[in-house]
């Protein structure tokens, strides 16, 4: 079963169309990376899924039922923009207020379990306003997790975190899906998203450009040979005369994207009197794939 099925979704704000005929499929148990530029319609789509705003047209189903179904709505956890916490209250008291709001039985045990899941059990007595950004993000996720929802929708939960905060967040999200939950997560930190996502949806201008699994992304990402030489300018011209796509990357390496053997690249440069000082093979990641896709979409 799919956790989310969206067909021909539209949303208009006056004369502006924020979402334009969007289709989206999120399998149950997935970590779905929802990617797009600012203003592409990500947050609007997430808010429609969560019932925070109403769609102008199209259908949204959650676990096979309309997204307006009361039982389904009770099975969702949401963190969009910022957690709704009181700064002067402790993490524990904020969690207990949310548990009361959700009418959760055995609230104390549920809060203890949830704080432990997000690695915040040792900071339960801290005032929320004194928590670091990473801690606040984890509190927000903990609040969304109260009641063990089947579907979790997170808008930019890893932006602004340090390396350790990102590592903890990856562990938390992976643990959540092990219990059978489905996670939809939007983020601009694509390198981190690539480490945990099982599925991707890339949106532009309110339309879904493509959806794919992590394995399909891996198969779609081009391999390349990267090198440095003593005379980089001449090396680029020589390589360009033989191979169809040669470009210099931000790290100062020349990349040859043709499917060729490394030794053939070295041999061609050597025959033209160019000494290679470093060479390696690699594959583009999610971030470069996304950037290339955006460039193609603008043509």
């Amino acid at each position: 079963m799919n956790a989310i099925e969206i067909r021909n979704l539209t949303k208009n704000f006056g004369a502006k169309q924020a979402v334009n005929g969007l289709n989206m499929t999120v399998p149950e148990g997935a970590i779905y990376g929802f990617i797009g530029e600012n203003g592409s319609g990500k947050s609007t789509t997430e808010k429609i899924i969560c019932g925070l705003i109403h769609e102008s047209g199209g259908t949204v189903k959650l676990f096979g039922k309309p997204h307006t179904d009361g039982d389904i709505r009770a099975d969702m956890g949401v963190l969009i923009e910022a957690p709704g916490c009181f700064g002067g209250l402790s993490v524990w008291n904020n969690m207990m207020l949310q548990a009361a709001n959700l009418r959760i039985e055995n609230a104390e045990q549920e809060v203890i379990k949830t704080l432990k899941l997000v690695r915040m059990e040792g900071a339960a007595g801290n005032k929320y306003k004194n928590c670091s950004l990473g801690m606040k993000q984890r509190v927000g996720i903990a609040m969304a997790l109260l009641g063990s929802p089947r579907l979790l929708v997170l808008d930019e939960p890893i932006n602004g975190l340090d390396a350790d905060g990102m590592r903890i967040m990856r562990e938390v999200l992976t643990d959540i899906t092990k219990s059978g939950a489905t996670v939809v997560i939007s983020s601009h930190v694509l390198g981190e998203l690539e480490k945990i996502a099982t599925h991707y949806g890339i949106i532009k201008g309110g339309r879904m450009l493509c959806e794919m699994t992590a394995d399909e992304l891996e198969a779609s990402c081009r391999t390349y040979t990267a090198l440095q030489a003593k005379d980089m300018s001449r090396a680029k011209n020589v390589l360009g005369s033989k191979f169809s796509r040669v470009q210099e990357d931000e790290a100062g390496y020349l990349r040859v994207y043709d499917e060729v053997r490394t030794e053939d690249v070295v041999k061609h440069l050597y025959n033209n009197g160019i000494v290679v000082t470093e060479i390696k093979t690699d594959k583009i990641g999610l971030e470069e794939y996304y950037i290339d896709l955006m460039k193609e979409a603008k043509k």
Side-chain angles (χ1 to χ4, degrees):
M1 179 185 292
N2 291 320
I4 300 175
E5 289 186 6
I6 296 176
R7 297 294 178 263
N8 301 316
L9 183 67
T10 60
K11 177 60 181 178
N12 302 321
F13 294 100
K16 180 183 177 182
Q17 189 166 49
V19 180
N20 181 14
L22 182 134
N23 296 307
M24 180 177 177
T25 303
V26 180
E28 191 169 2
I31 299 179
Y32 186 97
F34 197 27
I35 307 167
E37 302 167 321
N38 290 332
S40 61
K42 298 191 307 300
S43 294
T44 299
T45 301
E46 289 174 331
K47 289 176 181 178
I48 291 172
I49 291 171
C50 299
L52 299 177
I53 59 176
H54 297 294
E55 67 274 18
S56 300
T59 61
V60 179
K61 290 186 177 181
L62 306 179
F63 302 102
K65 296 182 179 180
H67 71 302
T68 53
D69 184 280
D71 292 336
I72 290 296
R73 303 226 65 81
D75 255 349
M76 294 182 65
V78 180
L79 175 58
I80 293 180
E81 295 178 353
C85 293
F86 294 96
L89 296 183
S90 67
V91 170
W92 174 265
N93 286 336
N94 272 295
M95 291 289 292
M96 289 297 291
L97 280 173
Q98 180 68 351
N101 182 51
L102 297 174
R103 299 180 180 178
I104 292 175
E105 297 181 2
N106 303 315
E108 289 191 6
Q109 292 90 330
E110 181 70 17
V111 169
I112 291 170
K113 180 188 75 173
T114 307
L115 287 176
K116 185 175 181 180
L117 179 62
V118 300
R119 294 29 166 198
M120 284 290 290
E121 66 272 27
N126 292 12
K127 286 188 176 181
Y128 179 78
K129 66 181 179 181
N130 295 331
C131 291
S132 67
L133 174 59
M135 293 169 71
K136 287 178 178 177
Q137 295 284 61
R138 278 183 276 156
V139 172
I141 290 180
M143 294 182 74
L145 282 172
L146 281 172
S148 302
R150 293 171 66 190
L151 175 62
L152 196 63
V153 180
L154 307 174
D155 186 29
E156 310 285 359
I158 59 178
N159 288 10
L161 301 186
D162 59 20
D164 192 53
M166 288 185 179
R167 176 189 59 79
I168 292 172
M169 195 65 73
R170 290 198 306 268
E171 293 173 356
V172 168
L173 295 178
T174 302
D175 286 348
I176 290 168
T177 54
K178 285 179 181 177
S179 65
T182 303
V183 178
V184 175
I185 173 173
S186 65
S187 177
H188 289 106
V189 189
L190 302 189
E192 288 299 313
L193 195 59
E194 189 174 9
K195 296 175 183 177
I196 57 171
T198 62
H199 296 72
Y200 299 96
I202 301 178
I203 185 176
K204 181 178 176 61
R207 291 181 176 273
M208 187 69 74
L209 289 183
C210 68
E211 288 186 298
M212 64 181 68
T213 66
D215 289 340
E216 288 170 339
L217 172 67
E218 175 73 14
S220 299
C221 288
R222 295 166 292 134
T223 57
Y224 60 85
T225 298
L227 62 91
Q228 288 188 329
K230 288 187 175 181
D231 188 341
M232 292 289 282
S233 179
R234 185 159 172 262
K236 185 175 183 179
N237 290 332
V238 168
L239 290 171
S241 67
K242 182 176 178 64
F243 305 108
S244 61
R245 186 172 181 190
V246 178
Q247 67 182 43
E248 188 171 355
D249 64 21
E250 293 179 354
Y253 286 84
L254 287 175
R255 292 185 181 184
V256 181
Y257 284 98
D258 302 53
E259 292 185 7
V260 296
R261 296 185 304 170
T262 302
E263 51 264 40
D264 291 337
V265 175
V266 175
K267 183 179 179 180
H268 180 64
L269 290 172
Y270 177 79
N271 289 340
N272 284 273
I274 297 173
V275 177
V276 175
T277 57
E278 184 181 350
I279 193 164
K280 60 183 178 180
T281 58
D282 208 339
K283 176 178 283 193
I284 69 171
L286 173 61
E287 185 170 358
E288 286 189 73
Y289 180 87
Y290 168 75
I291 290 171
D292 286 348
L293 191 63
M294 291 296 105
K295 288 178 180 178
E296 288 295 321
K298 290 179 180 178
K299 292 181 180 179

